[in-house]
């Protein structure tokens, strides 16, 4: 059997952009001809086995009547409620419930009579006759139950029509009734409701696990062409991963007018065109497009199609059929009297009715006797008269009515349901419309609606549809040829062109029989869309006449389906074998690289391609190297690719190859690829460098970790995932002053894996609380001492070729004034930070000049102050200070520098850590100023009057004294350098107000730097 291949999945074009995706070769290889799933699919004949199941389709319009759910189990699951005298049903010996496995009769109690059945009818219990053994296969003998219900709620209710959601309670009631009637283990495969329409599909424990690609949808064709009072609910399943089945439960437009037929046809066409299912999943991959009705292997269309009988008076049909149904009743039954009264009114004599009843009564007696001895189902004996040849039989009556059936006429006219749809033989009474509670009393209401086969079950195979399409194409071709011949005048052959005479009555009879015989043998074979040969047989098609709870009689059909299904164990074995073959073929022609990470002691216990950087601290780069070797047979092109979480690598990691990339794109964000010939190697340096302060805070608090995964992609090869990680060493940077005051003796590293958040803890260590961070004290003290030492040592050294570094305004805190080497300063700063974090004393390399040590300390202090979360003077405290400055300026009250210092410190005192830290820093700056720009020992007495700026202790301007002028420059420079690192919060106001606030900040710092002598001069 030839197997067809499918189109390539369009998503493969996108797969290569996903880390870890299976590669797509540029040139065809053995493995590129098909994906793994396609290769397994092409060997499906090896893992499929034949199965045979029974499928039961049931349909019933329950007219929203209460109590109808009580009957569902009896007629649909157990096959009860069939009248053997009002149908032409013939049950095989194998399916006869009154015979054992050997075909012998089983003694059973007589089935309840129609008279007794109608008398006891109630909404609270099943109306199916008692002692009914059932006539159709059911319970465990059916593997797939498909039930279609109509009008489970009042579809004519305006409230239901405008309800913005589907009421689930009616559906739940029906599901509960069906589930209780089914044998144990049956599962609900799917359901779909559209207002009053409901479809339920149940499968046996053997079949349920093999059902996949379930999809349901609904189409409303009611009011406005879209409302759900009419329409269809549909379901699609795939059986055994091979056979596609579609089920359509519909309720088409009602009415007996001529226009109603067209509306029903239009409803059917709308359902066909608007039904779309989700794409079928095969081997975990969805097909490109969803399917509709017509793409399946087997379709079943059922429900209340509402087609009526044409050109016949409804009353005539009712009376004709009631001549047969009256025989079911006892002479005392109310229904019989109603029927007889109507027939008498139509002109029949009482003698004729009595005679008819006596004949029927005798027939009933003999029938009951047969039930007690054998079976309630009459099996046709060869000696009995064929009911189809008896002009008085029910079957003859039905045969005379069926030519008027609207559905059959539409199908014959190729208007609707003509493209391969078929229906079983109708040998049962019309299913509509009866008096509720009656077996055979057709509508006795004022409307007296004519009986009709409204409820139908149609089916179609893939073969039926293709045969129809082929026939239509052949007809079109024949018509085209006929038209050509007529145009050429060749439509009438000459006598001499006749080669032989043919008599259809005598010639070729035997050959025709042989041809038909061969056709019968193969006619039910259906080649499915997947290429398998399945078979579908209709076994039974009948109504349940003795179900009394609705004005419609339920209808069902039983099919036998033979199909090939996937054996999961066999498929797994084939899958494994194919995977090995594909892997072998692909690996032989695929680029292959090997990664070797440089060895370190802390790599023990980690995977080969895992990169462990060990301990990492702030602004201390750490590098690991990777050697990449081409160990394959072909050239390998590779490069790091986007991880879909923020670029090729995290921001704290840099990647450097020891060679130029192939594309040489200057854009740093461009994808860089490198090519190695077989046997070549290259080295990649990965460097972690943590400098971002937000990242430092996150690492300190444990909100993030130094870990990530790099993706190295090899073109047409597999992706390599490189996990990298490091241990963050806690830093004193990036914290608040309050947190720093709770750092225990020994530095912040003592808190490794903890969070110094300022809250109280149970341990003794956590109870530590310093008045100010030790880091502030240690740095300011060291700067004071080394500045003094630098100045003292300067004259002792041979420095005649060098200017003192403090001659640069702003030294040692201004970067422009630094004379030390950058690498030397960064090394020293790293050592100083490490000492702060570990609680150690500062140790300076002896080869470093004292002035350069001061610069390293100053750089460390500035980094520390800039990293503080809230600064030395938080925004809230500065707002209070600014407010106080403004009030004193408005009052024009004279204040000395000492007074300003006092009230500033008083405001800061609400936060001791900030107040003391500010004092340390201000005192350190003042001492450094005094060391590098000392004042004269005998200050002169000021004689000029005080200016407005002097009221708040501000300088009047540059002094004429060179020493004092230089000192003023240093004070202003220091204030300029430290104002932003000490005071947090943006400036408020605009224009002049903003400038005034900025001046206040500078002035406040300058006040703390000036000596008393300078203040006296300012007055």
């Amino acid at each position: 059997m030839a197997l067809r291949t499918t189109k390539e999945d369009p998503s493969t074009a996108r797969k290569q952009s996903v880390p870890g995706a299976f590669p797509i070769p540029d040139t065809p290889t053995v493995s590129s001809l098909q994906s793994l799933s396609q290769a397994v699919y092409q060997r499906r004949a090896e893992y499929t086995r034949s199965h045979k199941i029974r499928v039961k389709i049931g349909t019933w319009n329950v007219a929203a009547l209460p109590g109808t759910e009580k009957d569902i189990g009896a007629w649909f699951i157990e096959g009860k409620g069939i009248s053997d005298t009002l149908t032409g049903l013939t049950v095989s010996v194998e399916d006869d419930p009154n015979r054992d496995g050997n075909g012998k009769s089983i003694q059973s109690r007589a089935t309840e009579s129609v008279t007794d059945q109608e008398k006891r009818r109630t909404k609270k219990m099943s109306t199916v006759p008692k002692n009914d053994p059932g006539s159709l296969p059911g319970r465990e003998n059916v593997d797939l139950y498909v039930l279609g219900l109509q009008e489970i709620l009042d579809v004519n209710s305006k409230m239901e029509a405008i309800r913005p959601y589907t009421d689930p309670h009616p559906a739940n009631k029906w599901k509960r009734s069906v589930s209780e009637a089914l044998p144990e283990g049956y599962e609900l495969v799917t359901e779909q409701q559209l207002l009053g329409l409901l479809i339920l599909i149940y499968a046996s424990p053997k079949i349920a696990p093999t059902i996949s690609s379930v999809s349901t949808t609904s189409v409303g064709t009611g009011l406005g062409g879209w409302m759900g009072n009419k329409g269809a609910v549909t379901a699609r399943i795939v059986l055994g991963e091979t056979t596609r089945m579609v089920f359509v439960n519909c309720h088409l437009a009602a009415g007996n007018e001529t226009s109603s037929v067209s509306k029903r046809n239009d409803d059917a066409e709308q359902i066909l065109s608007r039904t779309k299912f989700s794409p079928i999943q095969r081997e975990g991959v969805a097909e490109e497009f969803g399917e509709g009705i017509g793409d399946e292997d087997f379709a079943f269309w059922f429900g209340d199609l509402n087609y009526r009988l044409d050109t016949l008076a409804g009353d005539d049909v009712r009376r004709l059929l009631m001549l047969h149904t009256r025989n079911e009743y006892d002479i005392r039954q109310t229904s019989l009297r109603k029927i007889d009264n109507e027939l008498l009114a139509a002109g029949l004599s009482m003698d004729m009715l009595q005679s008819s009843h006596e004949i029927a009564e005798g027939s009933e007696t003999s029938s009951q006797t047969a039930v007690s001895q054998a079976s309630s189902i009459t099996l046709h004996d060869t000696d009995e008269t064929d009911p189809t040849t008896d002009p008085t039989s029910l079957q003859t009556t039905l045969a005379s009515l069926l030519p008027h059936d609207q559905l059959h006429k539409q199908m014959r006219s190729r208007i609707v349901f003509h493209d391969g749809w078929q229906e079983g033989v109708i040998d049962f009474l019309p299913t509509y419309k009866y008096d509720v509670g009656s077996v055979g009393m057709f509508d006795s209401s004022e409307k007296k609606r004519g009986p009709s086969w409204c409820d139908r079950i149609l089916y179609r195979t893939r073969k039926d549809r293709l045969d129809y399409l082929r026939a239509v194409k052949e007809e079109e071709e024949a018509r085209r040829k006929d038209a050509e011949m007529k145009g050429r005048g060749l439509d009438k052959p000459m006598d001499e062109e006749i080669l032989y005479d043919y008599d259809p009555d005598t010639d070729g009879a035997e050959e025709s029989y042989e041809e038909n015989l061969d056709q019968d043998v193969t006619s039910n074979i259906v080649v499915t869309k997947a290429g398998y040969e399945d078979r579908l047989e209709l076994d039974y098609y009948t109504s349940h006449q003795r179900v009394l709870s609705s004005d419609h009689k339920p209808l069902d059909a039983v099919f036998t389906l033979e199909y090939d299904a996937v054996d999961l164990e066999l498929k797994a074995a084939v899958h494994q074998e194919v995977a090995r073959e594909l892997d072998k073929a692909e690996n032989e022609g695929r680029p292959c690289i090997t990664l070797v990470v440089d060895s370190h002691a802390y790599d023990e216990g980690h995977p080969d391609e895992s990169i462990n950087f060990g301990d990492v601290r702030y602004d201390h780069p750490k590098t690991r190297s990777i050697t990449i070797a081409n160990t394959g047979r072909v050239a390998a092109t590779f490069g790091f690719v986007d991880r879909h979480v923020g670029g090729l690598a995290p921001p704290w990691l840099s990647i450097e190859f020891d060679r130029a990339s192939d594309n040489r794109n200057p854009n740093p964000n461009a994808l860089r690829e490198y090519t190695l010939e077989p046997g070549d190697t290259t080295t990649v340096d990965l460097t972690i460098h943590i400098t971002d302060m937000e990242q430092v805070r996150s690492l300190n608090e444990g909100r993030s970790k130094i870990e990530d995964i790099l993706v190295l992609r090899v073109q047409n090869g597999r992706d390599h995932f490189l996990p990298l990680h490091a241990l963050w060493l806690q830093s004193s940077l990036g914290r608040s002053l309050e947190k720093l005051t709770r750092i225990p003796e020994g530095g912040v590293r003592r808190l490794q894996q903890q969070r110094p958040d300022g809250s109280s803890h149970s341990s003794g260590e956590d109870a530590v609380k310093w008045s100010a961070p030790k880091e502030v004290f240690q740095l300011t003290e060291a700067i004071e001492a080394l500045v003094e030492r630098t100045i003292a040592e300067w004259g002792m050294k041979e420095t005649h070729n060098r200017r003192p570094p403090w001659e640069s305004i702003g030294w040692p805190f201004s970067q422009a004034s630094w004379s030390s080497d950058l690498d030397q300063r960064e090394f020293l700063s790293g050592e100083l930070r490490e000492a702060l974090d570990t609680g150690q004393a500062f140790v300076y390399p002896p080869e470093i000049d004292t002035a350069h040590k001061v610069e390293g300390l100053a750089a460390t202090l500035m980094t520390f102050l800039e990293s503080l979360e809230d600064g030395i003077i938080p925004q809230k405290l500065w707002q209070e200070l600014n407010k106080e400055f403004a009030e004193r300026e408005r009052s024009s009250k004279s204040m000395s520098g000492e007074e300003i210092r006092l009230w500033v410190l008083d405001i800061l005192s609400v936060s001791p850590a900030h107040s003391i830290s500010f004092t340390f820093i201000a005192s350190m700056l003042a001492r450094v100023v005094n060391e590098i720009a000392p004042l004269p020992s005998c200050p002169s007495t000021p004689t000029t009057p005080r200016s407005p700026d002097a009221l708040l202790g501000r300088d009047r301007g540059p002094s004429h004294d060179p020493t004092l002028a230089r000192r003023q420059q240093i004070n202003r420079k220091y204030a300029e350098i430290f104002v932003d690192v000490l005071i947090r919060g943006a400036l408020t106001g605009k224009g002049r107000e903003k400038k005034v606030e900025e001046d206040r900040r500078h002035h406040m710092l300058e006040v703390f730097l000036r000596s008393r002598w300078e203040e006296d001069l300012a007055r």
Side-chain angles (χ1 to χ4, degrees):
M1 177 173 59
L3 300 179
R4 294 183 294 274
T5 58
T6 58
K7 291 184 178 180
E8 181 181 355
D9 187 348
S11 64
T12 55
R14 301 185 298 270
K15 285 183 179 178
Q16 194 68 2
S17 65
V18 180
F22 197 76
I24 306 171
D26 294 331
T27 58
T29 64
V30 174
S31 62
S32 68
L33 297 177
Q34 55 202 359
S35 67
L36 174 61
S37 61
Q38 290 172 326
V40 173
Y41 180 70
Q42 289 194 353
R43 292 179 57 178
R44 61 190 182 277
E46 301 177 29
Y47 54 80
T48 53
R49 294 295 180 266
S50 180
H51 289 260
K52 180 187 287 189
I53 65 171
R54 277 278 178 76
V55 180
K56 180 180 277 192
I57 311 290
T59 178
W60 193 18
N61 187 324
V62 298
L65 291 171
T68 47
E69 74 278 1
K70 304 293 183 183
D71 288 331
I72 192 68
W75 74 263
F76 185 55
I77 307 300
E78 299 177 0
K80 298 180 180 181
I82 297 175
S83 172
D84 58 330
T85 59
L86 297 178
T87 67
L89 179 68
T90 301
V91 180
S92 67
V93 174
E94 294 80 5
D95 293 330
D96 188 352
N98 294 291
R99 295 180 184 273
D100 59 19
N102 298 320
K104 295 182 179 181
S105 299
I106 302 174
Q107 296 295 326
S108 61
R109 297 175 60 186
T111 303
E112 183 180 27
S113 68
V114 171
T115 300
D116 293 339
Q117 179 190 1
E118 290 191 1
K119 282 183 179 180
R120 68 165 180 82
R121 184 190 74 87
T122 175
K123 299 176 182 178
K124 297 182 180 180
M125 60 185 298
S126 174
T127 65
V128 174
K130 295 180 179 180
N131 304 325
D132 187 343
S135 304
L136 295 181
R139 298 194 60 78
E140 295 88 350
N141 295 323
V142 174
D143 296 286
L144 195 65
Y145 286 96
V146 183
L147 175 63
L149 298 173
Q150 305 87 45
E151 296 190 31
I152 63 172
L153 48 80
D154 186 2
V155 296
N156 296 317
S157 169
K158 292 183 179 180
M159 182 177 296
E160 295 293 345
I162 63 175
R163 190 191 297 271
Y165 61 90
T166 299
D167 184 3
H169 294 93
N172 292 337
K173 176 181 67 176
W174 284 99
K175 286 191 293 182
R176 185 167 53 250
S177 296
V178 175
S179 298
E180 291 173 354
L182 283 168
E184 185 178 356
Y186 278 68
E187 298 180 20
L188 176 64
V189 175
T190 189
E191 60 178 296
Q192 181 72 19
Q193 182 183 356
L194 174 65
L195 209 57
L197 283 165
L198 176 65
I199 187 171
L200 301 173
I201 301 179
Y202 290 85
S204 66
K206 178 181 70 174
I207 297 300
T210 70
I211 295 176
S212 61
S213 295
V214 178
S215 177
T216 61
T217 186
S218 59
V219 174
T221 62
L223 296 174
W226 293 92
M227 297 298 289
N229 58 313
K230 291 292 186 292
V233 286
T234 57
R236 191 276 319 280
I237 66 173
V238 175
L239 196 58
E241 298 187 18
T242 61
T243 303
R244 309 179 187 209
M245 306 179 74
V246 167
F247 305 95
V248 183
N249 172 31
C250 75
H251 193 182
L252 305 185
N256 203 24
E257 298 80 10
T258 304
S259 60
S260 300
V261 179
S262 298
K263 183 63 174 72
R264 286 189 275 274
N265 295 342
D266 184 63
D267 285 355
E269 292 297 334
Q270 287 293 313
I271 293 168
L272 282 168
S273 63
R274 288 162 52 191
T275 297
K276 296 297 178 185
F277 300 108
S278 59
I280 285 179
Q281 295 277 340
R282 192 180 69 205
E283 301 294 336
V285 179
E287 293 183 349
E288 185 174 2
F289 302 106
E291 296 182 335
I293 300 174
D295 298 317
E296 70 288 334
D297 299 319
F298 301 98
F300 303 86
W301 191 306
F302 47 93
D304 184 355
L305 276 67
N306 253 325
Y307 287 99
R308 311 300 172 90
L309 294 177
D310 268 342
T311 68
L312 294 176
D315 281 347
D316 293 343
V317 178
R318 289 177 61 258
R319 287 192 289 268
L320 179 61
L321 293 175
M322 285 193 294
L323 282 172
H324 296 280
T325 62
R326 71 182 298 277
N327 297 329
E328 298 294 306
Y329 293 101
D330 184 274
I331 195 168
R332 297 159 297 177
Q333 182 68 7
T334 303
S335 295
L336 177 62
R337 291 197 295 271
K338 291 173 65 176
I339 293 173
D340 286 349
N341 289 337
E342 189 163 340
L343 294 178
L344 288 172
L348 275 70
S349 68
M350 181 59 70
D351 292 339
M352 293 174 61
L353 296 179
Q354 288 178 349
S355 174
S356 172
H357 185 75
E358 289 172 359
I359 295 172
E361 194 174 43
S363 175
E364 182 178 349
T365 302
S366 61
S367 176
Q368 291 178 358
T369 303
V371 167
S372 63
Q373 295 177 352
S375 169
S376 64
I377 301 299
T378 302
L379 297 178
H380 292 282
D381 296 331
T382 55
D383 296 336
E384 293 182 354
T385 303
D386 185 354
T388 60
T389 63
D390 181 1
T392 63
S393 69
L394 173 63
Q395 296 307 314
T396 301
T397 302
L398 298 181
S400 67
L401 296 177
L402 284 171
H404 301 274
D405 176 60
Q406 291 176 345
L407 176 58
H408 285 176
K409 293 172 71 174
Q410 302 301 304
M411 295 171 73
R412 287 193 297 269
S413 301
R414 292 189 177 181
I415 298 176
V416 72
F417 295 114
H418 55 283
D419 49 346
W421 292 99
Q422 54 184 312
E423 183 180 21
V425 175
I426 295 179
D427 56 7
F428 47 87
L429 287 169
T431 57
Y432 175 83
K433 173 182 188 291
Y434 294 85
D435 286 352
V436 176
S438 167
V439 170
M441 183 64 202
F442 289 94
D443 185 15
S444 64
S445 68
E446 183 179 351
K447 292 185 178 180
K448 288 186 171 53
R449 297 176 180 86
S452 299
W453 284 281
C454 291
D455 308 281
R456 311 293 274 269
I457 300 176
L458 310 178
Y459 64 99
R460 180 178 68 181
T461 68
R462 178 176 174 82
K463 176 182 180 298
D464 296 331
R465 184 172 182 271
L466 294 178
D467 286 348
Y468 169 79
L469 296 177
R470 188 180 304 109
V472 170
K473 186 176 180 180
E474 291 173 355
E475 290 175 5
E476 292 176 352
E477 183 66 19
R479 283 193 294 270
R480 185 185 64 79
K481 290 183 178 180
D482 287 345
E484 288 180 358
M485 293 180 66
K486 288 180 179 179
R488 296 165 57 188
L490 301 176
D491 55 320
K492 296 181 179 180
M494 302 298 292
D495 291 342
E496 59 270 17
E497 293 179 327
I498 299 176
L499 300 180
Y500 58 86
D501 292 330
Y502 172 71
D503 185 351
D505 293 332
T506 59
D507 294 347
E510 292 185 3
E511 289 80 4
S512 177
Y513 172 79
E514 292 297 331
E515 291 174 0
N516 291 337
L517 183 62
D518 293 340
Q519 185 178 1
D520 290 339
V521 172
T522 60
S523 62
N524 62 346
I525 295 178
V526 178
V527 179
T528 66
K529 195 170 185 178
Y532 298 95
E533 292 186 352
D534 293 355
R535 290 177 174 83
L536 182 72
E537 292 283 354
L538 173 60
D539 299 329
Y540 303 104
Y541 182 42
T542 190
S543 66
H544 295 257
Q545 195 69 26
R546 296 193 65 176
V547 176
L548 314 180
S549 51
S550 175
D551 58 355
H552 287 252
K553 298 300 180 182
L555 181 70
D556 58 9
V558 180
F559 297 86
T560 296
L561 174 64
E562 295 182 50
Y563 68 102
D564 289 330
V566 170
D567 186 303
L568 296 180
E569 293 185 1
L570 294 176
K571 183 179 180 181
V574 171
H575 187 282
Q576 187 176 10
E577 182 180 341
V578 170
R580 283 198 302 266
E581 294 174 354
L582 290 178
D583 285 344
K584 180 180 178 181
E586 290 172 2
N587 290 333
E588 289 178 353
R590 183 188 297 175
C592 180
I593 63 172
T594 301
L595 279 66
V596 179
V597 181
D598 62 339
S599 177
H600 278 272
Y602 41 72
D603 286 336
E604 185 177 354
H606 295 283
D608 292 341
E609 292 187 355
S610 176
I611 307 172
N612 183 9
F613 285 82
D615 297 339
V616 171
R617 49 194 171 100
Y618 172 78
D619 200 14
H620 186 76
K622 203 158 192 182
T623 301
R624 294 293 304 270
S625 297
I626 304 172
T627 300
I628 303 176
N630 184 348
T631 54
R633 300 180 180 180
V634 297
T637 299
F638 53 86
F640 289 99
V641 297
D642 193 341
R643 303 161 300 137
H644 292 279
V645 288
L648 307 182
W652 38 263
L653 182 75
S654 62
I655 304 174
E656 190 68 31
F657 281 79
D658 65 354
R659 62 175 63 196
S661 64
D662 298 345
N663 51 3
R664 301 180 183 274
N665 191 328
N667 185 353
N669 297 321
L671 176 64
R672 300 182 181 276
E673 293 182 326
Y674 304 82
T675 300
L676 291 179
E677 295 298 326
D680 283 355
T681 62
T682 186
T683 301
V684 183
D685 289 334
L686 304 179
T687 302
I688 290 181
H689 193 190
I690 306 292
T691 57
D692 180 72
M693 203 51 63
E694 285 301 319
Q695 181 73 19
V696 171
R697 293 191 181 98
S698 180
L699 291 169
N700 280 341
E701 297 172 4
R703 291 185 285 111
S704 64
K705 296 181 179 180
I706 306 177
E707 57 183 29
D708 212 305
I709 298 178
L710 303 181
V711 183
L712 183 65
R713 172 153 300 156
V714 181
Q715 284 189 10
N716 302 329
R718 76 176 183 90
D719 288 347
H720 292 258
F721 296 92
L722 304 178
L724 53 89
H725 50 89
L727 176 64
W728 170 250
L729 297 180
Q730 290 286 325
S731 172
S732 56
L733 302 179
R735 304 176 187 271
S736 67
L737 288 180
E738 184 66 24
K739 292 178 182 178
L740 289 170
T741 60
R742 297 185 182 274
I743 301 298
E745 193 73 38
V748 73
R749 295 286 168 77
R750 293 286 300 276
L751 295 175
Q752 197 75 19
Q753 307 301 330
Q754 300 182 33
R755 297 185 183 181
D757 55 5
S759 58
S760 61
H761 300 277
S762 58
S763 66
E765 261 189 359
D766 293 333
V768 173
K769 179 67 183 288
W770 306 97
S771 58
K774 293 182 63 179
E775 292 81 1
V776 175
F777 174 76
Q778 192 171 356
L779 285 169
T780 55
E781 183 183 43
I783 291 173
E784 291 177 14
L786 283 183
V787 166
E788 183 178 354
R789 182 177 173 183
T790 299
I791 295 173
E793 291 178 349
W794 192 261
M796 303 178 186
K797 297 180 180 180
E798 294 184 4
T799 56
H800 57 276
N801 294 326
R802 296 169 53 195
R803 293 173 57 246
W806 55 86
E807 288 188 2
S808 297
I809 303 300
W811 187 89
F813 303 105
S814 170
Q815 294 185 20
S817 68
W818 292 341
S819 60
S820 57
D821 178 73
L822 175 63
D823 292 338
Q824 183 189 71
R825 189 168 60 252
E826 287 184 346
F827 168 76
L828 180 58
S829 296
E831 294 300 306
L832 295 173
R833 289 193 300 270
E834 185 68 8
L836 291 175
D837 295 339
T838 56
Q840 303 296 320
F842 292 151
V843 177
Y844 311 101
E847 66 274 11
I848 298 179
D849 186 82
T850 306
H852 294 166
K853 295 175 186 176
V854 175
E855 293 173 2
L857 283 166
T860 303
L861 175 65
M862 297 302 294
T863 300
F864 175 82
L865 294 176
E866 289 171 351
S867 76
L868 291 174
E869 285 185 349
D870 50 356
I872 298 297
I873 300 178
Q875 182 176 7
K876 185 177 180 180
L877 290 178
W878 168 249
Q879 289 173 349
E880 294 185 24
L881 289 170
N882 188 42
K883 181 180 179 181
E884 185 70 20
F885 266 114
E887 291 179 355
R888 292 178 183 273
E889 289 172 356
R890 286 193 295 268
S891 65
S892 300
K893 181 181 177 181
S894 176
M895 289 186 63
S896 66
E898 184 65 23
E899 290 175 324
I900 294 175
R901 286 192 285 270
L902 287 175
W903 66 258
V904 167
L905 293 176
D906 182 59
I907 292 176
L908 294 179
S909 66
V910 298
S911 178
H914 292 88
S915 176
I916 296 173
S917 297
F918 178 76
T919 301
F920 279 154
I921 294 170
S923 175
M924 177 270 297
L925 292 175
R927 289 193 60 181
V928 169
V929 172
N930 286 332
E931 290 290 337
I932 63 179
L935 289 171
S937 58
C938 300
S940 58
T941 304
T943 58
T944 57
R946 289 179 296 172
S947 67
D949 285 339
L951 295 174
L952 290 173
R954 290 195 175 100
D955 290 339
R956 293 176 297 171
S959 174
H960 297 291
D961 185 296
T963 302
L964 185 58
R966 171 174 168 74
R967 189 178 178 98
Q968 289 175 343
Q969 288 180 329
I970 295 174
N971 287 343
R972 290 193 180 98
K973 187 64 175 179
Y974 280 5
E976 178 185 335
I977 294 172
F978 279 88
V979 67
D980 290 330
V981 297
L982 295 180
I983 304 174
R984 291 297 163 87
L987 296 170
T988 59
K990 296 180 180 180
R992 184 176 180 279
E993 293 180 1
K994 187 175 181 180
K995 182 66 171 60
V996 169
E997 184 179 350
E998 184 178 12
D999 291 343
R1000 290 170 184 161
R1001 292 187 177 189
H1002 286 79
H1003 171 60
M1004 184 189 74
L1005 293 182
E1006 290 180 44
V1007 167
F1008 279 86
L1009 299 181
R1010 289 203 300 265
S1011 66
R1012 188 181 302 278
W1013 184 74
E1014 290 176 278
E1015 293 169 2
D1016 291 340
L1017 289 179
R1019 296 172 181 169

